[in-house]
Amino acid sequence: MKPWLAFSAPVAVAQAAGRAIVALESTIIAHGMPYPENVRTAREVESVIRGMGAEPATIAVIDGRIRIGLSDEELELLGRSGTALKVSRRDLPAVLASGGLGATTVAGTMICAALAGIEVFVTGGIGGVHRGAETSFDISADLQELAKTSVAVVCAGAKSILDIGLTLEYLETHGVPVLSCGQDNFAAFYTRDSGFRADFRFDDAMEQARFIRTKWDLGLAGGVVLSTPVPEAAAMPREEIDRITLQALADAADQGIAGKAVTPFLLARIKALTGGRSLATNIALVKHNAEVGAKLALALAQR
Ligand code: PSU
Ligand code: MN
C-alpha cells in the first residue's frame, strides 16, 4: 500500500510523534468553491486546525500518488487547475493509474485517510440520498463509504439539495451513527436545523471520542458522522435557501445534469442564485467544523 501514499513532511513528523491529525478533502477546493476563495479557505481551515494544536492533512491525488498533506503551491494547483477529476471510490484507481490530478470527495478522502491511519476528517457537508432518488437512484457513494470505512467525518450536516430524511434512514440501515454537537438535531448546512434529530448528542469532544473509540474497539467497522451547525451569525434564512434549492433542482432537471456532475452543478447554481452569499456561509461553516474536528482529534489522540 505504502508506494501509493506520500506524506508531507509536517504530517509525517506529526504522525511519528503521535500528534492529532485532521484530514481535509479536496473536492471542496476543486469543485465546491470558486477560485480564489477556495484556496484562501483551504489555507485558513488548515491554520484553524494548527491553531488548535492539531496537524491538518489535506488529501488529493497528484502525479500518481495519494498525497497526505499539501503545500501551499499544491493547494493553489488544485484550486485553479479547473481540470482536477472529482475522485470518489470508483475513480481512485483510474486517477492513480493515469497519473492525473484528482480532488477527493468525502468517500475518496475517507479511503485515503484510513490508509494513512488518520481517524478524523473535516468537511463541509456530506453527500447523501438525492431528492427523487426513488427514480434516479442517485445516492452518494459517501454513504456506502461511511458504512464501511472507519473514519469520523465532521460536517455541518447535509444540504437541503438532498433528501435529508432518507439520507438519515440510509445511514441507520448501514449502522452509521449520527452524532450532533451543540444541538439535538442534525444540521442542514446553510441552516442550523434540518428538522431531524441526530441519533446522539455529545457537546464535549471527550464524550465524542469515547463513543467513537468504543465503536471501533468493538470491531464495529465503519464511519461516524459528527454534525455541528453553522454559526448563527453566518446561517442563511431558511425560506430563501429553500426557494433557491428548488430553483437549482429545476435547473439541473432542465439541463439533464446526471451522475457525478449533479452535486457540483447544484452547488454552483446555489452560489449564483444567492449572489455569492451562500459562499460566505459555506466558508464560515467549514472553519467552524475545523475547530470541532481538531478538538475531536486531540481527544482521540489523548485517549
Ligand atoms: N456537499 C457540499 N459541498 C461539497 C460536496 C458535497 O456541501 O463540496 C462534495 C463532497 O466532496 C462530497 C461530494 O463528497 O460533493 C458528493 O458528491 P456526490 O453527490 O456526487 O457523491
Ligand atoms: Mn450522485
Side-chain angles (χ1 to χ4, degrees):
M1 189 46 61
K2 293 298 174 195
W4 297 108
L5 289 181
F7 291 78
S8 69
V11 174
V13 167
Q15 194 160 52
R19 288 183 44 225
I21 302 176
V22 176
L24 296 163
E25 66 155 301
S26 42
T27 291
I28 191 173
I29 303 172
H31 304 281
M33 288 185 193
Y35 183 84
E37 288 89 347
N38 54 359
V39 175
R40 200 182 65 221
T41 303
R43 289 186 181 138
E44 286 172 359
V45 167
E46 290 198 345
S47 90
V48 167
I49 290 169
R50 278 192 202 98
M52 308 275 305
E55 186 63 36
T58 303
I59 293 179
V61 178
I62 303 177
D63 292 337
R65 317 280 300 275
I66 296 170
R67 305 292 305 278
I68 311 293
L70 302 181
S71 67
D72 272 2
E73 295 69 41
E74 289 160 344
L75 290 177
E76 183 77 19
L77 169 73
L78 270 168
R80 64 190 312 168
S81 93
T83 59
L85 297 170
K86 177 179 161 189
V87 179
S88 189
R89 168 173 281 264
R90 172 192 66 181
D91 315 289
L92 194 54
V95 71
L96 279 169
S98 71
L101 183 63
T104 49
T105 64
V106 169
T109 307
M110 286 180 76
I111 293 169
C112 299
L115 290 173
I118 302 173
E119 298 181 317
V120 176
F121 159 35
V122 165
T123 185
I126 56 170
V129 178
H130 282 256
R131 298 193 194 186
E134 63 276 20
T135 52
S136 69
F137 273 41
D138 192 352
I139 299 175
S140 174
D142 292 354
L143 300 186
Q144 273 301 309
E145 210 54 55
L146 282 161
K148 58 188 161 223
T149 299
S150 299
V151 172
V153 180
V154 181
C155 64
K159 283 209 175 74
S160 58
I161 56 171
L162 302 171
D163 189 318
I164 296 180
L166 292 188
T167 298
L168 293 171
E169 289 290 352
Y170 194 100
L171 290 170
E172 179 186 357
T173 299
H174 291 280
V176 179
V178 177
L179 315 186
S180 182
C181 171
Q183 63 181 22
D184 291 344
N185 278 4
F186 189 60
F189 198 87
Y190 295 120
T191 56
R192 291 168 63 86
D193 184 3
S194 68
F196 294 91
R197 273 185 98 83
D199 302 321
F200 309 100
R201 174 176 177 170
F202 298 118
D203 291 353
D204 178 67
M206 286 307 284
E207 289 179 326
Q208 296 156 10
R210 194 175 307 125
F211 178 100
I212 292 166
R213 191 60 80 208
T214 302
K215 170 173 158 76
W216 292 338
D217 280 351
L218 288 169
L220 299 176
V224 172
V225 175
L226 174 58
S227 148
T228 185
V230 60
E232 193 97 57
M236 293 194 62
R238 162 90 69 119
E239 319 69 58
E240 180 185 6
I241 199 70
D242 285 352
R243 180 169 44 75
I244 282 168
T245 297
L246 290 176
Q247 178 67 53
L249 288 165
D251 294 346
D254 283 351
Q255 297 182 39
I257 308 292
K260 71 196 275 187
V262 171
T263 298
F265 176 89
L266 293 172
L267 300 183
R269 272 314 276 151
I270 288 174
K271 185 193 159 253
L273 291 166
T274 58
R277 277 176 305 116
S278 66
L279 182 59
T281 302
N282 200 339
I283 292 168
L285 68 86
V286 178
K287 286 194 202 167
H288 178 250
N289 296 348
E291 275 178 41
V292 172
K295 283 184 198 158
L296 172 61
L298 290 164
L300 279 166
Q302 199 184 312
R303 283 177 61 85

